Amino acid sequence: MPIVEPAQEGLPDFSTHPDYQQLFDTLVAGGQHREQATLLLADLWHKRTNNGPPQQQAAPQPPELPQQPPQCPGEEEQPPAPDPNVQPGPQHHAHHRHHAPHPFPPEAPPAPQDIPPLRVDDHDMPAQDRVDKRTPQLPPVDLEAKSRTMALQRPPSYAIERFRKFEYVPLWYFTEQGCQAADKDKTSNEDLWDVTKTSDNRLALCTAATNRPSPFALADEQLTWEQFMDANHLFCRWLIPAGWTEDYAKVLSSFFWQIENHEDKGIAEGKETLLLYQARARKAWHNELKAGHFFNLAKLDDKKMNAYRKEVDAKHNAVVRKAVSLSAHYRL
């Protein structure tokens, strides 16, 4: 990791700066070295001041004066003072035509004019892929287009951030309770910062609201059937706005539709079996996507469904046996 030079021009002392002192102390208390904390805050400071660290350039140097050939001591002569009453003759004009005056007077050389731009080394210029990532890409103008998210409930920033990275997100974040918790988390964590690692293994600062999961989040298999219904509908409506392609959106929408309308929904413990299948199948799908493998999530696996049905039945039978055993014990 490059170390920030303490003498960098314009860089404040973050350990005493009123806007950065608390964040600097937090980073140091969290195990960061002072140099690492300074580097992180310097990047944030540059983004707030001039949208990026300035490139250091050397000050332009004036052109060197032409060197005159050395003269011997005996040949050095001073020209006689000109007589103001004598008009310059032809020889005088010829002398000026053949001998140009000195480019600079000895007492005050002028400022350099038309200096060519300084050459900047390639390693100082940002790479093309970095420029493309930093520059926001605007969609084409469509005067008939309507908002995709204005009428949608907004889940927590943590869920949206993971959703945009195509990572697994529990459906609880898209329930009514999850959306209500988003407003509370935004109010309490909007001024807090966390240190994270980017995809290229560099340290970066991000708000705590986008980096910390909710402590109240439930696993998918713990949701009620009503919560699952509300959550997967909002989940599917956020797919396209979050950057998922239409093909992937169709796969996920078809998957949830088949879970909602499965024939096991009407039997005992059928909804619990479907919730368990949904939770494990979707999590496995995301894990394989990260590994570079795609399988059709919308094609339900009957073999796994039967295995989950037996698992749910065994759990309920264990609860019933325990209740009967306790009832017999109290009767004795």
Side-chain angles (χ1 to χ4, degrees), residues 249-270:
K250 289 180 178 179
V251 170
L252 284 165
S253 299
S254 177
F255 168 71
F256 286 122
W257 186 89
Q258 292 183 72
I259 294 294
E260 287 184 17
N261 297 277
H262 197 275
E263 58 184 5
D264 285 2
K265 184 175 65 173
I267 65 176
E269 290 84 38

Side-chain angles (χ1 to χ4, degrees), residues 171 174-175 223-236 256-257 259-261 265 271 275:
L171 286 179
F174 295 87
T175 63
L223 298 178
T224 66
W225 185 257
E226 290 73 19
Q227 287 178 319
F228 163 74
M229 294 284 288
D230 293 340
N232 86 76
H233 291 170
L234 183 61
F235 182 98
C236 290
F256 286 122
W257 186 89
I259 294 294
E260 287 184 17
N261 297 277
K265 184 175 65 173
K271 292 180 179 179
L275 289 175

Side-chain angles (χ1 to χ4, degrees), residues 122-254:
D122 294 338
H123 61 80
D124 290 334
M125 296 296 292
Q128 186 63 31
D129 57 343
R130 293 184 181 178
V131 174
D132 295 340
K133 292 178 181 179
R134 292 175 183 175
T135 304
Q137 301 296 325
L138 296 176
V141 175
D142 183 0
L143 300 181
E144 302 298 328
K146 297 181 180 180
S147 172
R148 293 175 174 176
T149 60
M150 186 177 296
L152 297 180
Q153 286 184 299
R154 185 175 182 85
S157 301
Y158 167 80
I160 295 179
E161 188 67 21
R162 290 178 62 89
F163 205 42
R164 288 173 177 167
K165 295 178 181 178
F166 312 120
E167 297 180 1
Y168 171 80
V169 182
L171 286 179
W172 178 87
Y173 289 98
F174 295 87
T175 63
E176 186 71 26
Q177 294 83 356
C179 294
Q180 291 176 357
D183 298 332
K184 297 179 181 178
D185 291 344
K186 183 177 180 181
T187 303
S188 58
N189 294 331
E190 60 183 1
D191 295 330
L192 299 180
W193 295 82
D194 283 345
V195 180
T196 61
K197 282 190 177 181
T198 60
S199 58
D200 55 354
N201 205 29
R202 299 176 60 187
L203 294 178
L205 290 174
C206 65
T207 59
T210 62
N211 191 47
R212 299 180 184 179
S214 174
F216 306 105
L218 300 176
D220 283 3
E221 54 267 31
Q222 295 176 315
L223 298 178
T224 66
W225 185 257
E226 290 73 19
Q227 287 178 319
F228 163 74
M229 294 284 288
D230 293 340
N232 86 76
H233 291 170
L234 183 61
F235 182 98
C236 290
R237 294 183 67 186
W238 268 98
L239 286 170
I240 298 300
W244 290 76
T245 62
E246 186 175 351
D247 291 338
Y248 276 88
K250 289 180 178 179
V251 170
L252 284 165
S253 299
S254 177

Side-chain angles (χ1 to χ4, degrees), residues 273-319:
T273 301
L274 292 171
L275 289 175
L276 182 61
Y277 180 93
Q278 180 278 141
R280 295 185 180 177
R282 192 166 63 89
K283 185 174 294 185
W285 186 68
H286 278 276
N287 290 337
E288 295 201 24
L289 286 181
K290 292 180 66 176
H293 178 257
F294 171 87
F295 70 88
N296 190 2
L297 180 66
K299 186 176 181 180
L300 302 187
D301 191 330
D302 293 335
K303 184 178 180 179
K304 290 185 178 180
M305 185 72 73
N306 291 332
Y308 296 149
R309 186 180 298 112
K310 292 178 181 179
E311 181 179 339
V312 171
D313 289 341
K315 183 179 71 174
H316 278 272
N317 291 336
V319 173

